[in-house]
Amino acid sequence: MSVYTQEQVNYLVEGKLDWETTMRMLSMPKDDDRFRMYLNALQSKVPWDDKIILPISLHLYVAQNKATKNWVTKCSCGHEFGDYRKNWKLEALVYVRDTPEAMHEVYPTLMAPDTNWQVYREYYCPECGTMHDVEAPTPWYPVIHEFEPDIEAFYNDWVHLPLPEKTN
Ligand SMILES: [Zn+2]
């Protein structure tokens, strides 16, 4: 028996819940069906039918390419960033806010960080222009690759779903 209905999960996806809250809800135990319904809801919102394996952020997914069966990082518009284990940010368009003027486009003057110590790096899809991530590192810090989930463990131990085939 599932605690959440597909309709409620659809509402979650459509709604304004922040990413952290959504992922926390999804990883709560005792409701194996919830993640499957969440994937269904995400799948119904993208214009392609490659199977979504795991959402990375609001418009970015690990998905199984239907033709090759390779797992890739994929934008909701359909753009592929390549092998899911590689850092997709290296294939994204990057905008670096490293001057006070550029910072003040998005932050009120008094709240903007000192660009000698902190810059903002925004990562965009080269095809549709959706912003997928923002980093706020010190200026000399290398591109951050923070998302390397153990997808097999997640499927086997947490959501108890069969893992889609993989050729890469
Ligand atoms: Zn895109």
Side-chain angles (χ1 to χ4, degrees):
M1 263 276 287
S2 172
V3 181
Y4 287 78
T5 65
Q6 182 71 60
E7 201 180 357
Q8 284 172 312
V9 175
N10 288 350
Y11 180 76
L12 270 184
V13 172
E14 299 286 349
K16 298 289 176 213
L17 277 186
D18 65 274
W19 186 245
E20 225 181 293
T21 309
T22 306
M23 288 317 277
R24 207 181 311 127
M25 283 193 54
L26 287 170
S27 58
M28 286 193 302
K30 295 188 194 299
D31 190 7
D32 287 349
D33 217 26
R34 195 187 309 156
F35 185 69
R36 190 187 57 74
M37 290 191 294
Y38 183 62
L39 288 180
N40 283 347
L42 294 176
Q43 195 81 57
S44 70
K45 285 173 68 75
V46 294
W48 33 267
D49 56 2
D50 295 342
K51 194 176 170 56
I52 293 174
I53 294 163
L54 200 69
I56 297 174
S57 65
L58 283 177
H59 296 283
L60 202 62
Y61 312 90
V62 174
Q64 179 200 44
N65 183 295
K66 217 169 103 179
T68 63
K69 306 270 190 267
N70 284 345
W71 289 13
V72 295
T73 302
K74 197 172 172 97
C75 177
S76 53
C77 78
H79 180 79
E80 290 188 2
F81 289 88
D83 188 292
Y84 75 104
R85 289 159 297 200
K86 288 198 304 201
N87 191 353
W88 63 270
K89 288 176 183 172
L90 300 174
E91 309 297 326
L93 290 183
V94 188
Y95 181 69
V96 183
R97 295 187 191 275
D98 56 0
T99 64
E101 293 72 29
M103 279 292 185
H104 294 157
E105 286 169 17
V106 282
Y107 299 96
T109 306
L110 291 172
M111 291 175 61
D114 180 342
T115 51
N116 290 314
W117 295 100
Q118 191 173 47
V119 298
Y120 276 62
R121 293 188 197 133
E122 300 165 351
Y123 295 90
Y124 294 89
C125 171
E127 214 165 311
C128 70
T130 296
M131 186 169 79
H132 288 309
D133 201 6
V134 186
E135 290 170 358
T138 49
W140 56 86
Y141 201 83
V143 172
I144 299 164
H145 186 204
E146 73 288 329
F147 191 80
E148 288 184 79
D150 186 341
I151 296 178
E152 278 177 30
F154 182 68
Y155 268 71
N156 292 331
D157 304 340
W158 285 87
V159 295
H160 306 116
L161 288 175
L163 201 60
E165 185 189 344
K166 179 169 62 128
T167 51
N168 56 334

